Structures are given as C-alpha cells and as structure tokens.
Amino acid sequence: MASPSKPRKRRGRIASAALAVDAWLDSSLYEIGFKAREFWEAATIFSRRFRLHGWRRAIIEVLSEGFTMGAGGFVVLLALAMPAFEITAGDWRNQGDFAVTFLDRYGNEIGQRGIIQRDSVPVDEMPDIVIKAVLATEDRRFFDHYGIDVLGLSRAIFENVRANSVVQGGSSITQQLAKNLFLSNERTLERKIKEAFLSLWLEANLSKKEILQLYLDRAYMGGGTFGIEAAADFYFGKSVKDLSLAEAAMLAGLFKAPTKYAPHINLPAARARANVVLSNLVDAGFMTEGQVLQARLHPADVVDRGEKQSPDYFLDWAFDEVKKIAKPGQHSLVAHTTFDANIQKAAEESVEFHLRQFGKEYNVTEGAVVVIETNGAVRAIVGGRDYGASQFNRATKALRQTGSSFKPYVYATAMEHGFTPDSVVSGGPISWGNWSPHNYSGGSAGNVTLLTAIAKSINTVPVRLAKDHLGIAPIKAMAESMGVESPLESHKTMVLGTSLMTVMDQATGYSVFAQNGFVGSRHGITQLVTRTGDVVYDWTKDAPPPHRVLSEQALKYMNTMLAAVPVIGTARRAQLPNIVVAGKTGTTQSYRDAWFVGFTGNYTAAVWLGNDDFTPTNKMTGGSLPAMVWQRLMVYAHQNIDLKPIPGLDHPFVDPEVAAKAEEAAKKEAADAEAQAEAERPPVLSSRTTQTLRDMTKVFQSAPVLDASTLPETLSALRF
C-alpha cells in the first residue's frame, strides 16, 4: 500500500517549481521593462542633440512630409501599373509570325496585316539619314534616356504653355512603342501610368537597337501600311534602303499624324511636314542647313495611289479573327472576308457628318459602329473617326456602359419566363436594398404594359422584373447566350446597363432578334487560303452551326416590343421610310455614353457615341445623335436590295400588329395628356360674366358700319 505522504511531496515540488517560474517571469519582465525605459531615455537624450529649431526644422518637416507622400504615391502608382505588366507575360511578339492579305466580299484586296520578316530591314542596314530624321523629330535624346525623357518632357510642356496649345509631344520612342504594343489611345491617367512603367520594362528587357527596330516595324504609317519599309514601298515604290533625304523626311513626318500627312491624300501637307523634319535635323545638330537645302528645294514625289482608304479598324479585328482560327504553321495566308466597302463608307460618312454638325453642340468627339447582315456577316466596322490619330478600336475593344440598351436582355429573359408584351407591371418607385432607381423623367409611371415600358424606357419596370420575378443570374446567362463576350457583373444595377460591353457585343446580341432567335452565325472570315491556293478554313464547313437561344414565341414578343420603340418610344429619329425598324436606345450616367442598337429584316447595326476620356456629353441621349447616325447609315444600306421581314412580324413594311399596338398606346397617351390638361385647366367664368360678354358681342355685331368719308368727323367728335 502506497504511503499518503508521497503525493503530498510531489504536489509540493510542483508548486515550488511553479513559484520559481513565476518569480523568474516577473523578474525578467521587470528587467526588460527597466532596460527598455533606460534605452528610451538614453535615445531621447541622444536625439536631443539633433533637435532643430526655427527655419531648419521647417525644412526638415517639409522634406519628411514630402518623402512620406512620395512613398505613398509610388505605392499607388505601382498598384495601378501592375495590370500592365501582366500583358508582357504573353507572346507579344507573335504578330511577326503572321502575314495576311485581306480581300473583301467581292474578292478585291483591301489591305494586309502582320510583319513579313523578309521585308523587315534591320536598323543597321537603313540609311543614316532615315534614322537621323526619325530621331530628330520623335526623340532626339533616345540613346541618352532610360525610357522616359524628363528633359524632353519638360521642354515640351514649356513650349506648349508658351504657345497656349499642343505644339510639341513629350513621349519618347520607347513610350510610343509601349502604347503601340500593349495599350490603347484612350486619354486617361491610368493609361499614362501604365505607359511609363511599360517603357521602363522595355528599356530593361530590350536593347536600344531592338526598341528602335520594333518601333520602325510596328508604327502605323498611313495608307493601311505598318512599318517604315512597307511605307517606303507604298509611297515611293522603293525600299527604305534607297530613300533620298527628301523621302526620308516625308516618312519621318508621318509618325505624328499618318492620316493627316499621308502624301497620297494630301501631298502639300506632307511636304510641309517634311520641311519641319528637315528643320528638326538642323536644330538637333544632326545636319547643316546646307546639307538639307537640296531636299527643301526638291521635295519628294509619291507614287499615285489615289485616295482609296483602307478599312483599318475592320482589318485589325479580322486579323485577330484569323489568328484565332488559323492552324499551327500556316501563317502566310489570304483571307476572304465579309467586308462591304460601300456600307463601310456609308457608316464612316454618317458618323463624321453628324459629329461635324452636332459634335460641339453635344460635346461629343468619338463614335463607333458595327453593321452585321442577318446571315451573320460583319459588313462594316467604324472604330473611331481617325485611324491615323488613334488605332484603338472603339468598336471591338472599348468597354462602355450600355444604359437602357441593355434592357432587351432583361425583357427577353422575362418573355422566356411567361411574360408577354401586354403583361402589366408597376412602374412606380422601387427600392432594392439601398438602391432606389428613378425613371428618366423623375416621376412615377404607374401600372404599364411591358410594351409601353420598353418603348418609353421606364427604368423601374425592368428593375421590378429582376427583383421580384427573374433574378440577376438568368439575365446574365441570357446576355451571354446571345453572344455577349465581355465579362458582365452579377450586380443588381446591371439591369439598367451598368456593366461594360463593346459595340461588337451589342451588335451581336441584337442580331439574335433579327436572325430568328439563333446565335453563332457572326463571322468576318469566310475562307482562309494559303499562298499556293489551298483552302485551310471555310466558314460554311468548319464553323460550328448556329443554335437557338430564344423560343419562337419569345422572339415574336420581343420583336413586337422593339418595333414599337421607334414608333411611340425614344427612337423616333431612327425610323426608315416604309420599313419596319426595331431597336433600343441607351443613355448612361451623366450622359457619358449614348447608344442606339437597331435592326431590320436585313441588317443589325450598333452605334455608340461618347468621349475617350469619359467626360460627359451635353445631355446627349441615345434617341438623338446615335439614332440619327443609325438612320442615315441604314437609308443607304437598304437601297436597291430585297427587303426581308423581321422575324415574328408579318412583312418588312409597317406591321399591322405593331401599328395597332402603337396606335392604342398613342391614344392612351393622348387621353392621359387630355386628362392632365383638364385637371390643370383654370375655373370656368361665372354665369353673370358670361352673359355680359355675350351682350357685348351682340352690341358689336349690331353696330352700324362707319362711312370712310365721315371717319375724320367721327374721330374728332370722340376727342376729349
């Protein structure tokens, strides 16, 4: 039997050890605290030796705050630039592997894309006058800076301020190459930050010679040409190796504004610009006035190419399509496209005409258009007003809010969930969490049919449909199934068009309504053929077949409603003579973007107008300028063609069902207006006042007619 004294001894030893540990901890913590206070006191006494007073302290404080703010700013800039570096992870040089010649729908050559390596002349083999002309005009300190020319930028800012306009550019060749390779031409602070960081990245990863080579090979030179070798052949019919000083100066002048100074379009302007380049050569110290005198006296002549414009925005998009469908190892190709030069010209003319006429009034500077035939063929793409000034394709790459032009995707989802154009939904005020959307007019719409709601673009109705009946997920799925490729946000505000989409997305999505509810037929390439004539891709055989995404009943309902929008709704300026038009307008927050996307039985076209820097327009709505651009384009496109009916409607002319519904809605609108006017009419006159006015009328009617011969005497008798 164990002794009871042993457990007590064991517990005593444990308690004694615990007390010892506790005492050690207490003493250690006290010692650490004492040493810390002692160190802090010593550090404080030591730092007092460096304490400054008066103006010295003020300087240190300013420098300290500046350093703190600078460090914080650098962190912010780096965070903004990180997405730019992700671009460099891909194979950004792969364009050089392709050489594609493009033909229009009739077999006529419309341009080329890609860098043909055998035609790329190394910098070392180019004449010295070519390199000097480019550097003197674009970046004189190219070999002295590290991507960003601070001195050149400061000089440009000073000259621009002194001239009160932009007379000099401050971007280095490296910055221009970064923009051409990785970025767009949108004038935003974010883009400039990315450009600066990418310039440093290029300088760190490439030699100066490689940067200059890429710049000379990739720069757009007007006339649909890319690279200085292609430009030399196009304008002068010779290699860059054989250029004279006058010809080199003319080519060097194209980098600033290739469309404006393209010699085959405006030779006097090109020669004037070449003269500026010659002056730059003298100012930079690269040549003397005597050396450039001969070039001034005998300016360059160019090969007569006419004024044929290259459809560059279409070619850029088609080139991307080729790279998607081309097979490995087959990169030297001839592409048969769906391009229609006449429709392209009409689209460009309509955009330019309206922006020239009304651009200042509405404070809008840019536009984009995509036209798709009902067989899915992309006939025209307008990616901006001037490809030479900006190669950024606003039709296929610019993501902009769609506003109310997104609503057809909401209503299409509703039609698939059992709603009809005659379904009545409240258009009154609604709140969804902390979001309370308002109608454009600011008032309440009351109970309305869905046809009236989409025609009048009532905001609260699609919000109520999404909140109470549909949900966000089905609406997003519907838009994606209809061909929208841009990433859509799953947020409740998306029903009013806050998600970003491209013009190509909109044209593709709406073309489903024109194509009887089918998607998957959009295409820009019909055939790819090798240089030896072998067909390596045929759209009719190799493309996946189209598939239905809208039921026949839902399609009929949607087209009935969309055809009412130009008749009684917000798109009356889009009406075509004797042809049914269907579509929807869109206007975004602060009037930054305005849309009209519409279709007939023959064509679907999406029109966007806005500003690259996202500044608001002057209250421009989708029913104003965009609808007018669409209408002018479509009037031309429908000349001398067989008119096709819109699916679900009876015929291509004014549909009886649409007309009946429009007339009924118009009558109701007139009755509502009359009722409102009756309610606001002032009280009627009293019976006594009415009788007095009637008596006065009788007196005037029974009064004798005055004789003209006795009129002077009568007037004299009436004088006081």
Side-chain angles (χ1 to χ4, degrees):
M1 183 175 181
S3 173
S5 61
K6 289 184 179 180
R8 289 197 204 92
K9 290 180 180 179
R10 189 179 299 111
R11 285 196 295 270
R13 285 195 297 271
I14 293 173
S16 177
L19 287 173
V21 171
D22 181 67
W24 178 81
L25 285 174
D26 288 343
S27 60
S28 297
L29 291 174
Y30 174 80
E31 188 69 21
I32 291 172
F34 179 79
K35 293 291 185 182
R37 288 192 297 272
E38 192 177 53
F39 173 79
W40 180 253
E41 183 177 359
T44 302
I45 294 172
F46 179 77
S47 64
R48 286 174 183 169
R49 301 178 183 178
F50 305 99
R51 182 174 296 177
L52 300 175
H53 300 278
W55 62 270
R56 293 183 178 86
R57 180 172 181 176
I59 293 176
I60 294 300
E61 291 288 344
V62 170
L63 292 176
S64 177
E65 292 298 325
F67 178 80
T68 302
M69 295 177 64
F74 182 78
V75 172
V76 172
L77 292 178
L78 187 60
L80 292 173
M82 286 302 293
F85 290 123
E86 297 177 1
I87 307 174
T88 63
D91 186 11
W92 50 271
R93 295 176 183 259
N94 66 355
Q95 178 175 324
D97 297 333
F98 284 86
V100 184
T101 300
F102 292 91
L103 310 179
D104 67 9
R105 62 183 299 192
Y106 302 112
N108 303 311
E109 183 175 337
I110 55 176
Q112 298 180 349
R113 283 295 182 269
I115 302 297
I116 304 176
Q117 293 299 329
R118 66 177 180 273
D119 292 338
S120 177
V121 177
V123 171
D124 292 336
E125 297 180 15
M126 292 185 187
D128 190 51
I129 54 174
V130 172
I131 303 301
K132 286 182 176 179
V134 173
L135 295 182
T137 305
E138 296 300 313
D139 190 354
R140 298 179 187 180
R141 291 171 35 81
F142 173 70
F143 289 100
D144 298 324
H145 62 69
Y146 199 73
I148 301 174
D149 185 6
V150 178
L151 294 178
L153 181 61
S154 302
R155 182 182 64 252
I157 293 174
F158 175 77
E159 292 295 333
N160 293 337
V161 170
R162 189 173 67 172
N164 198 27
S165 65
V166 180
V167 296
Q168 284 191 16
S171 295
S172 66
I173 282 179
T174 312
Q175 287 176 277
Q176 295 179 56
L177 178 62
K179 181 181 65 176
N180 292 339
L181 289 177
F182 305 114
L183 304 173
S184 71
N185 283 63
E186 290 185 306
R187 298 178 181 178
T188 60
L189 178 61
E190 181 181 1
R191 198 268 290 171
K192 293 299 292 183
I193 292 172
K194 290 180 178 179
E195 180 185 292
F197 277 96
L198 286 170
S199 299
L200 299 176
W201 183 88
L202 286 172
E203 291 279 351
N205 288 272
L206 301 175
S207 67
K208 286 288 187 179
K209 185 184 296 185
E210 289 176 316
I211 292 173
L212 185 59
Q213 184 75 60
L214 283 171
Y215 179 72
L216 295 175
D217 280 346
R218 300 291 180 93
Y220 180 66
M221 304 292 285
T225 61
F226 284 82
I228 197 166
E229 171 66 9
D233 178 68
F234 181 80
Y235 294 120
F236 307 117
K238 60 177 68 173
S239 170
V240 69
K241 299 178 182 179
D242 303 320
L243 293 178
S244 66
L245 176 58
E247 293 166 341
M250 187 171 286
L251 288 187
L254 292 175
F255 288 95
K256 179 180 181 180
T259 301
K260 180 179 179 181
Y261 299 119
H264 71 302
I265 295 177
N266 192 341
L267 184 58
R271 286 176 170 173
R273 177 62 180 166
N275 200 48
V276 172
V277 174
L278 295 174
S279 298
N280 291 337
L281 282 166
V282 177
D283 294 341
F286 294 162
M287 301 184 77
T288 66
E289 185 62 44
Q291 290 174 309
V292 303
L293 180 60
Q294 191 69 13
R296 291 190 194 273
L297 296 176
H298 302 283
D301 289 313
V302 298
V303 176
D304 185 12
R305 300 287 186 181
E307 295 189 7
K308 181 180 178 181
Q309 295 289 336
S310 176
D312 293 302
Y313 289 115
F314 182 94
L315 292 175
D316 287 347
W317 174 76
F319 186 52
D320 290 336
E321 295 296 297
V322 167
K323 288 188 284 188
K324 292 177 184 177
I325 60 179
K327 298 178 181 178
Q330 296 174 334
H331 291 176
S332 183
L333 301 164
V334 176
H336 295 260
T337 74
T338 58
F339 177 76
D340 189 305
N342 294 324
I343 295 179
Q344 176 73 28
K345 184 177 180 180
E348 292 173 351
E349 189 275 339
S350 185
V351 171
E352 187 62 26
F353 173 83
H354 288 93
L355 289 180
R356 283 183 180 272
Q357 290 283 98
F358 306 103
K360 290 185 178 180
E361 176 184 346
Y362 284 104
N363 188 36
V364 57
T365 57
E366 275 297 348
V369 179
V370 171
V371 182
I372 301 178
E373 197 169 342
T374 50
N375 60 6
V378 179
R379 296 302 186 197
I381 295 177
V382 179
R385 298 178 69 179
D386 187 347
Y387 187 84
S390 169
Q391 291 87 58
F392 178 62
N393 196 330
R394 296 159 188 82
T396 62
K397 296 185 181 300
L399 294 170
R400 308 294 296 224
Q401 288 188 340
T402 56
S404 293
S405 63
F406 185 84
K407 291 175 183 176
Y409 304 108
V410 181
Y411 285 103
T413 308
M415 297 303 108
E416 292 288 7
H417 282 71
F419 286 84
T420 72
D422 298 321
S423 299
V424 177
V425 176
S426 172
I430 184 174
S431 294
W432 194 345
N434 58 357
W435 181 46
S436 300
H438 301 285
N439 295 320
Y440 180 77
S441 62
S444 174
N447 292 332
V448 294
T449 64
L450 295 189
L451 184 145
T452 301
I454 194 171
K456 302 296 184 182
S457 200
I458 299 172
N459 288 336
T460 52
V461 171
V463 175
R464 194 176 303 277
L465 287 173
K467 178 178 182 289
D468 298 339
H469 304 283
L470 305 175
I472 295 299
I475 296 172
K476 179 183 178 183
M478 174 61 74
E480 292 172 344
S481 69
M482 291 175 67
V484 175
E485 298 175 352
S486 300
L488 299 175
E489 297 179 359
S490 298
H491 193 269
K492 54 195 173 187
T493 60
M494 75 175 293
V495 299
L496 296 185
T498 57
S499 287
L500 305 178
M501 293 169 59
T502 65
V503 181
M504 180 64 78
D505 280 335
Q506 290 279 67
T508 304
Y510 276 66
S511 68
V512 172
F513 301 124
Q515 296 175 32
N516 203 26
F518 283 82
V519 71
S521 63
R522 188 201 77 191
H523 62 287
I525 308 297
T526 56
Q527 271 191 345
L528 285 180
V529 183
T530 65
R531 303 288 176 178
T532 58
D534 297 328
V535 177
V536 297
Y537 173 84
D538 190 319
W539 181 80
T540 58
K541 299 177 181 178
D542 300 325
H547 59 279
R548 178 176 289 278
V549 293
L550 281 181
S551 65
E552 293 185 9
Q553 188 62 64
L555 175 75
K556 178 179 176 62
Y557 287 157
M558 283 303 303
N559 286 350
T560 298
M561 294 195 298
L562 291 173
V565 177
V567 180
I568 62 170
T570 57
R572 301 188 186 192
R573 294 181 180 178
Q575 292 182 1
L576 298 176
N578 298 322
I579 301 175
V580 169
V581 172
K584 186 70 186 73
T585 58
T587 309
T588 64
Q589 298 172 345
S590 301
Y591 299 95
R592 287 187 173 89
D593 306 277
W595 298 76
F596 180 70
V597 191
F599 57 94
T600 65
N602 296 80
Y603 294 102
T604 300
V607 176
W608 165 86
L609 296 178
N611 295 310
D612 284 344
D613 58 2
F614 294 92
T615 54
T617 65
N618 187 18
K619 296 185 178 180
M620 180 180 63
T621 63
S624 59
L625 220 54
M628 294 161 63
V629 170
W630 190 95
Q631 194 268 354
R632 185 180 178 92
L633 158 65
M634 284 300 184
V635 165
Y636 176 85
H638 286 79
Q639 291 179 358
N640 303 319
I641 63 172
D642 294 330
L643 298 177
K644 300 177 182 178
I646 292 178
L649 305 183
D650 290 344
H651 50 72
F653 301 101
V654 180
D655 188 83
E657 182 179 356
V658 176
K661 289 182 178 293
E663 183 179 1
E664 180 182 351
K667 288 180 178 179
K668 184 178 183 303
E669 183 179 359
D672 293 342
E674 179 65 24
Q676 182 177 0
E678 186 70 27
E680 297 175 353
R681 188 172 296 163
V684 298
L685 298 174
S686 65
S687 59
R688 181 177 178 180
T689 304
T690 303
Q691 186 60 43
T692 302
L693 291 174
R694 287 175 178 172
D695 293 341
M696 292 175 64
T697 302
K698 291 179 180 179
V699 170
F700 284 121
Q701 290 176 344
S702 61
V705 179
L706 290 176
D707 188 355
S709 62
T710 62
L711 184 59
E713 291 80 1
T714 303
L715 293 175
S716 179
L718 292 174
R719 290 177 182 171
F720 291 94

